[in-house]
Amino acid sequence: HLAELCRVCPRLARLDARYCEQLADASVLLRRPESWAALQLDGCFRLEVTQLLVQPPGTWRRLEELSLDGEELGSQELARVAEVCPELRCLTVSFARELDPAALAALAGLAKLEALTLRKATLPNDSDWASFFMEQRSAWAASPTAATGSQWRVLNVSECELFADGAA
């Protein structure tokens, strides 16, 4: 059904399919990656999202919002998000258990990021989080399109057990 929907709606740029548990084929999204501005795919645990993340850098260059079910994603795939989706403003990953310090550091390169949800990212410790915020702040400040004022609109680190007072 998703393939047919994309075929008859060629201007479709925002898709919210959260918790569509039967959705499994990500290839339809790859047919026109330059057209997507938002993909909400959290809870689509049968969807092979790795297909979306193994693409060449910048493949998803228009994508500003992305939510994923991280249950089956390894740290390498999570680190690739910054490479393939360089314009992200909003990133949500549930079950980010495999997000290690190196993957978190890679996400710091998302210069336009203003909303971040990383649920259950239990591997980074407090100093990893502090490094992330410092690097992300530097990337944000160096961005020619950065707005003035505070960059964060949303920060959700629920169930990130090692996130503590020194991180922010």
Side-chain angles (χ1 to χ4, degrees):
H1 298 267
L2 182 57
E4 181 64 14
L5 179 66
C6 290
R7 188 185 68 74
V8 299
C9 301
R11 293 182 45 207
L12 184 64
R14 297 181 172 277
L15 175 66
D16 188 340
R18 287 178 286 191
Y19 302 99
C20 292
E21 296 176 359
Q22 300 305 312
L23 191 61
D25 185 12
S27 67
V28 68
L29 302 172
L30 288 167
R31 292 181 189 156
R32 48 188 192 97
E34 71 287 344
S35 65
W36 295 110
L39 292 173
Q40 306 295 329
L41 305 171
D42 188 19
C44 302
F45 60 87
R46 287 185 175 83
L47 189 67
E48 189 62 45
V49 295
T50 302
Q51 284 182 298
L52 307 177
L53 301 175
V54 296
Q55 301 304 309
T59 296
W60 303 95
R61 65 186 168 278
R62 272 200 64 224
L63 198 63
E64 295 181 349
E65 298 177 31
L66 177 64
S67 74
L68 299 172
D69 190 306
E71 186 79 34
E72 299 296 323
L73 293 178
S75 63
Q76 290 179 334
E77 290 91 3
L78 291 166
R80 295 241 342 123
V81 169
E83 291 179 42
V84 298
C85 309
E87 301 298 314
L88 281 183
R89 293 184 181 276
C90 178
L91 174 63
T92 298
V93 181
S94 62
F95 299 101
R97 285 188 195 104
E98 296 300 316
L99 182 86
D100 63 10
L104 183 62
L107 294 178
L110 291 167
K112 296 182 180 179
L113 196 64
E114 57 188 28
L116 178 65
T117 297
L118 292 173
R119 289 191 61 238
K120 298 185 180 184
T122 58
L123 297 178
N125 63 34
D126 201 41
S127 66
D128 299 324
W129 284 105
S131 294
F132 166 79
F133 287 116
M134 287 176 38
E135 290 298 318
Q136 213 281 323
R137 191 176 305 126
S138 295
W140 182 76
S143 172
T145 59
T148 57
S150 176
Q151 73 193 66
W152 291 108
R153 286 185 308 108
V154 175
L155 182 59
N156 179 346
V157 290
S158 60
E159 300 179 74
C160 295
E161 297 165 0
L162 300 179
F163 183 89
D165 294 340

